[in-house]
Every structure is written in C-alpha cells, then in structure tokens.
Amino acid sequence: MNVARKLACAVVVAVCAVSLAANWLAPEGYAKQFRETPNAPPSHQHWLGTDDVGRDRFARVLYGTRISLLLAPAAALISTALAVLVGGLAGYLGGIWLRLARGFTDLFLSLPWLFLLITVRALLPLNVSPMVSVLITFFVLGVLGWAASARVLSTSADGLRNSDFILQARASGLHGPRLFFVHVLPNLKPVLYAQFWISIPVFILSEANLGILGLGVAEPMPSWGSLLRELEGLISFREEPWKLAPLLLLIVVMTSFQLLLSNEEVTA
Amino acid sequence: MVSEKALLSKLSPEDMPATEVSQRKTLLWKIARHLGAMAALVLLGGLLSATLVRLAPGFDSDERELDPRLNAESVQALRQSRAGEHKIFSFYAGYLRGALHGDLGVSHALGQPVQALLSERWPVTLRVAGVGLLLAWLLGATLAFTACLWQRPIYEIFGTTVSGVFLCIPAAALALLSVILNKPGYLAVALIVFPKIYRYSRNMLAKAYALPHITAARARGLGEVRILAWHVLPIAGPQMIALAGITVSVALGASIPVEALCGLPGIGQLAWQAALSRDLPLLVNLTVLVTLVTLLANSGADVMNYVLRPHDA
C-alpha cells in the first residue's frame, strides 16, 4: 500500500471514528435549537456556527456523516446482493436466463442514473418520519444501483461456467445450488468485493444529490445531502466560508475513497 | 483455431462476391437485431415508468378535487378522466396507439399537451446539456492529451487533482454553486461530465502508449504528434467514440438537477416536476425520450466506429 492509500485509509477511519463518537462530542444532539443564536458564526460553543433555526452545525455534520457513512455500505450490500441474484445466477445458468438478465440490465443501464434515481425517489412517499425517510432513501439506492454490478458479475460467472473445474465438479455429480454456492460464488468474491467498494462512494454522492433536491433524508435528521442543501442560503463564500464545511468534508472523504480504490477497480 | 479473416483470405476470387453478399446479409441481420433490441428497450422503459407511477402511493389523488368550487359532478368527471390510467397495460396500449398518430397525451400537472411541452423545452436542454458536453470534452480531452503528449508529472498531477475534486462533488451541489456564483447551467454540466471524460480518456491513452510498438516507434525517433495521430489514436479512438456515446447519457442525467436548481425550463426540470406530481403521461413520454436518446447516442457511437474501422466490426 503506497503512502497516498495509507493516508486515505487513515482519513476514512478517522472520519468514521469521529462520527461514531458524535454522542460524546456533541451530546446535545443534532436537533437541539439554540433559539437565541440562529445563523451564528463559529464560536467556542458552536465550532461551525449554527443554522437558520439555531442548530449546532458541527453536531449536525457529525451525525450526518455517521448516517451517510453507515448507510451507504448498507445500500451497497443490497445492490451487490441483487447483482449476485440477477447477474451471478444468470451467468451461472447461461442460455435464456443470461439473455433475459442482460436485457433487464440493459434496460436499467439505458436510463441515466440520476434520472432513474430522482424519478423513483420522487414517486415514493416524501412526507414521512425522518427514520423512514432514511430507510427509503438508502433502500432505493440499493435496489436501483445493482445493474452495473450485475453486468460485471454475469460476465464473470459466464466465464466460470465453462471453466475446467466447474466441468469437473459437474462430472462429479455436483449441480444446482450446491455447485453455485460452493464453487461459483467463492470464485466471484474478488469481483463482488470490488463492486461493493465501488458502490459506496457512488451511493454517498447519490444520497447527497437527493438531499440537495429535497428528496433525501427528512428534517430534522441530518445527512450529507440535507447538510449541503444549506448551500441554497449561502450569500457568498467570503462572508460565510464555514457553511462550506460539509462540502469540504465530503470532498475529503470521497477523495480518500477514490485513492483507496485502485485504478483497475475504478475503471472496471 | 483458424480465424474467420484467415479463412476469408484463403478464398478464391470467384468465391468473394458470395462472401460479400453473406457478409452484407450478416451486417443487415445485426442491424435489424440491434434496432429490434433498441425498440424493445424503449418500450419496456416506458412500461416500467408507467408501472412505477401507477404503483406509487398517492397516484389516485388529484389536487383539483380539493377545490371547494367544484361540485360532486365535476369531481366525478375529474376521476372519470383518469379512470383509463388505472389499468396500466390498457393505458400503455392506448398511449402507444396515440403516439403512433402523433398524440402524446396531456400532462395532468401542467394541463398542456405533452408534445407542446416537449417542443418548447427541448431547446433549453439541448443548449444546457449540449454546450456542457462540448465544454466537458474540450476540457477533459485537452487535459488527457496534454498529460499523454508531454509526459511530465505536473500535467498528470494537475489533471488528476482537478478531475478528482470535481468527481467528488455531487452534481446538485455543483448546480447550487453555479447559482451562487451566477454562472450558466451548462458550465455546471461541463464540470459534472469532464472528470469522467478525463479519467477514462487518460486511462485509454495510457494503455495505448504502453504498447510495445509505441515504444519501438519512439525508439526509432518518431515525433510525439506523429505517434499520437498514427499509432495511439487508432487504438484508443474507438473506445473514445464509445465514451462519447455514454457521456450523452451522463450529461442528460446531470441536466435534471442543474435545470431544477438553476430554474432552467428544460426537459430536466420537466422530468423533475413530472416525478413530483406523479404525472403519468408526462413521465412515460420523458422515460421513452430519455431511453431513446441514450440508446441512439450509444448506437451512433457504434455506427461511427463501424464507418471509421469497418474491418474491426
């Protein structure tokens, strides 16, 4: 691992650790309103100032980071599982199943990701409790984000189907689910891990896009998307640079993810 | 195993016309299959969006029903006007019948014919996404070629850093920043798309430059521009053309948050409004349109590759 990747790993671990310690670092929580000091600049009490209803921005950044960084991997897990179900199985079964799965994947890939995501999220209930909105947002990301991974997995599984060791396993009498779970799936692991890790930054950015458009996590619960929405009220960078803190943190974390994923994985 | 090309080269001249006819037939069959697959995908895309809207919570509700000035008969008439949308397959069949005759239906939310809405808004999207895409290619390709031609670390670091930063900013945040800085929407689209162009182009060019015959050409004293034009571009070119097709879809997707947040009345903003108001006719038309444009862009790239390098197809 080179220095840049070590540094990136350290940044991601540090940000995760700090966000997990949000309860201790910001014990008053993300929803407490300091009504006497709305729109306050940074101070000893509020390191990143307060928002227009007096909520501590630093606390919101901590809790928002925690939500985004914990739930993006959960969404990535859903999408990777679906990719195995559609792409991996179809590649293993081959024939008509592979053609059907590729057609279905092509259908999803022929729609621009943002168009699909925004449309589907907007169609789902928006006036729900914050916790439900978090679950809906990341579930939608997981359910819609499988297509690209499924395409990669179907190609890999298709290649494995005709490999010597699978033919030998078949000749030995192995077939059906046992052959898939014992011999095919373990050999797909490297591709699966790569697809899982690639999906995480994609889902973090997608959630941020939804949040800025008002389709993400509902108030008062923070996420990177809802925190970035605050940029709408930004007058100028010079007068209120602290409002850019969530964006800068997002850039730092995303850059770290980019460095962590090797070139081969990113371009896969 | 003997390749198909090797077999063709061994054929006698008398056999060639028959081979050409067979090749032409194969090509026509491929085109027909491709067009068939495209049509199927477009139709399925429309059906998928129609099904999603139909299943969406609150599909049945209509704000106009809350108008206290309307009497029971009017409310009933309103409900009756949407009754056809409840059975999704019959709605979709009706929509396709109308579309074949040039009738794309009427938007519930905006109360206007979809055709009129699309025709008045597409120039805005064409400008935002088109100019943005052009700028993105200018920036991305220039940076990638510069890094490859003058192989100095400074160009590489600059390109990677700038593209990396923009790759990490959500499309909607770039749209917001363009509003704050009072910059045009197409600039936001350009900055959303250019990092992808730079990264992929740079990778493709780097792979082409790493080939042994390029090293041999350089050792024989060929100039960098000549190497690029004669040896690198023929290898990386087809992939870059394919990338051009893909970036159309990316630019189209980026235009939704940009138009929605910058207040630009284009197709992206229309899609945003249609989704929020669960406007079935509008959303089905937009899905079909977006799918068609994406598939046409990708097919256009394939055709261009075939025209430029027919023997590789």
Side-chain angles (χ1 to χ4, degrees):
Chain A
M1 196 186 264
N2 62 25
V3 180
R5 290 183 81 180
K6 276 181 191 167
L7 195 69
C9 191
V11 168
V12 172
V13 170
V15 171
C16 286
V18 172
S19 67
L20 285 172
N23 290 14
W24 292 279
L25 292 169
E28 277 152 346
Y30 57 82
K32 166 126 177 144
Q33 296 181 7
F34 298 90
R35 279 188 290 277
E36 65 282 5
T37 53
N39 273 325
S43 61
H44 287 298
Q45 287 84 26
H46 310 292
W47 290 359
L48 289 173
T50 57
D51 65 8
D52 52 354
V53 288
R55 295 175 299 191
D56 183 65
R57 193 172 285 113
F58 178 69
R60 291 184 64 73
V61 169
L62 286 185
Y63 283 94
T65 304
R66 183 159 77 179
I67 288 171
S68 294
L69 283 183
L70 282 181
L71 289 171
L77 204 65
I78 296 173
S79 77
T80 313
L82 281 173
V84 171
L85 208 66
V86 178
L89 261 182
Y92 163 68
L93 294 170
I96 182 83
W97 294 106
L98 184 60
R99 283 201 292 277
L100 269 176
R102 287 207 172 144
F104 198 48
T105 311
D106 283 347
L107 175 63
F108 267 78
L109 291 177
S110 61
L111 288 164
W113 168 239
L114 272 176
F115 174 80
L116 185 69
L117 186 64
I118 290 169
T119 307
V120 173
R121 180 61 191 96
L123 290 175
L124 293 168
L126 294 168
N127 193 16
V128 289
S129 71
M131 189 49 82
V132 175
S133 75
V134 170
L135 295 177
I136 288 179
T137 303
F138 285 97
F139 186 71
V140 165
L141 287 171
V143 167
L144 296 179
W146 57 271
S149 305
R151 171 54 78 89
V152 177
L153 279 169
S154 72
T155 309
S156 304
D158 190 30
L160 281 178
R161 186 164 47 90
N162 298 317
S163 61
D164 293 342
F165 74 96
I166 295 290
L167 282 176
Q168 195 176 357
R170 273 211 182 98
S172 309
L174 267 180
H175 60 272
R178 189 171 161 78
L179 182 61
F180 180 72
F181 286 108
V182 176
H183 292 281
V184 177
L185 202 55
N187 283 289
L188 288 175
K189 263 185 191 170
V191 188
L192 275 176
Y193 289 146
Q195 293 305 313
F196 171 76
W197 285 108
I198 289 168
S199 303
I200 294 174
V202 173
F203 289 159
I204 290 175
L205 278 182
S206 303
E207 187 279 324
N209 275 319
L210 286 178
I212 294 169
L213 289 164
L215 296 172
V217 177
E219 288 281 356
M221 197 170 264
S223 72
W224 268 334
S226 56
L227 289 168
L228 290 176
R229 207 176 179 198
E230 220 190 333
L231 288 175
E232 271 181 320
L234 188 71
I235 300 161
S236 83
F237 297 128
R238 283 184 191 169
E239 285 177 31
E240 302 166 313
W242 55 88
K243 283 190 176 177
L244 291 170
L247 183 62
L248 290 177
L249 181 65
L250 177 65
I251 292 174
V252 168
V253 173
M254 293 301 295
T255 309
S256 305
F257 268 113
Q258 267 190 36
L259 287 170
L260 276 174
L261 299 166
S262 66
N263 272 342
E264 290 76 27
E265 284 163 351
V266 172
T267 52
Chain B
M1 200 175 195
V2 186
S3 71
E4 196 182 343
K5 275 184 185 173
L7 276 173
L8 285 173
S9 65
K10 282 178 187 169
L11 288 174
S12 62
E14 297 88 67
D15 294 332
M16 285 308 284
T19 315
E20 274 176 19
V21 169
S22 142
Q23 277 180 336
R24 196 165 293 166
K25 272 184 183 172
T26 315
L27 183 67
L28 282 175
W29 173 238
K30 270 185 185 173
I31 292 171
R33 270 182 62 180
H34 193 73
L35 286 175
M38 254 177 71
L41 280 177
V42 168
L43 290 176
L44 275 173
L47 184 62
L48 181 75
S49 79
T51 313
L52 279 173
V53 179
R54 177 64 193 87
L55 297 176
F59 167 75
D60 280 334
S61 58
D62 190 335
E63 273 180 24
R64 291 174 296 178
E65 288 179 22
L66 301 172
D67 190 342
R69 294 169 300 171
L70 296 182
N71 61 16
E73 278 176 3
S74 299
V75 170
Q76 192 59 35
L78 269 178
R79 285 180 187 161
Q80 203 63 39
S81 70
R82 296 187 69 167
E85 293 176 3
H86 286 229
K87 288 176 185 164
I88 203 66
F89 285 106
S90 62
F91 161 78
Y92 198 55
Y95 159 72
L96 290 177
R97 266 198 306 275
L100 285 174
H101 294 97
D103 175 20
L104 300 177
V106 178
S107 159
H108 295 315
L110 301 167
Q112 288 180 51
V114 174
Q115 206 169 359
L117 283 169
L118 293 179
S119 56
E120 77 187 30
R121 285 178 183 242
W122 74 262
V124 178
T125 302
L126 191 69
R127 196 172 61 244
V128 172
V131 177
L133 194 59
L134 207 67
L135 276 176
W137 266 96
L138 209 64
L139 196 59
T142 307
L143 277 174
F145 279 118
T146 311
C148 287
L149 267 177
W150 292 281
Q151 293 172 342
R152 288 185 190 147
I154 184 77
Y155 293 120
E156 181 75 38
I157 292 168
F158 178 73
T160 309
T161 311
V162 172
S163 66
V165 167
F166 283 106
L167 210 55
C168 296
I169 304 178
L174 275 172
L176 268 183
L177 291 178
S178 82
V179 174
I180 294 163
L181 297 169
N182 204 18
K183 299 290 176 211
Y186 59 75
L187 195 64
V189 173
L191 293 176
I192 293 162
V193 183
F194 115 83
K196 294 167 181 80
I197 294 173
Y198 170 76
R199 291 280 167 119
Y200 280 95
S201 309
R202 176 76 192 87
N203 280 343
M204 284 182 243
L205 289 172
K207 274 181 188 166
Y209 268 106
L211 290 170
H213 76 277
I214 305 285
T215 315
R218 200 172 274 148
R220 282 166 191 243
L222 254 72
E224 286 299 328
V225 177
R226 194 178 161 85
I227 290 176
L228 177 72
W230 287 86
H231 299 285
V232 174
L233 277 184
I235 298 165
Q239 290 165 313
M240 289 185 79
I241 290 171
L243 177 65
I246 295 166
T247 50
V248 171
S249 164
V250 179
L252 212 57
S255 67
I256 300 176
V258 170
E259 286 179 8
L261 292 166
C262 298
L264 299 166
I267 300 284
Q269 194 194 52
L270 199 62
W272 160 249
Q273 290 170 338
L276 282 177
S277 55
R278 290 155 172 74
D279 194 334
L280 182 58
L282 194 50
L283 211 54
V284 170
N285 277 298
L286 286 171
T287 311
V288 167
L289 183 72
V290 168
T291 315
L292 193 64
V293 170
T294 309
L295 292 172
L296 280 177
N298 289 332
S299 303
D302 290 345
V303 169
M304 199 181 261
N305 266 332
Y306 179 76
V307 170
L308 290 175
R309 295 166 70 93
H311 299 295
D312 291 353

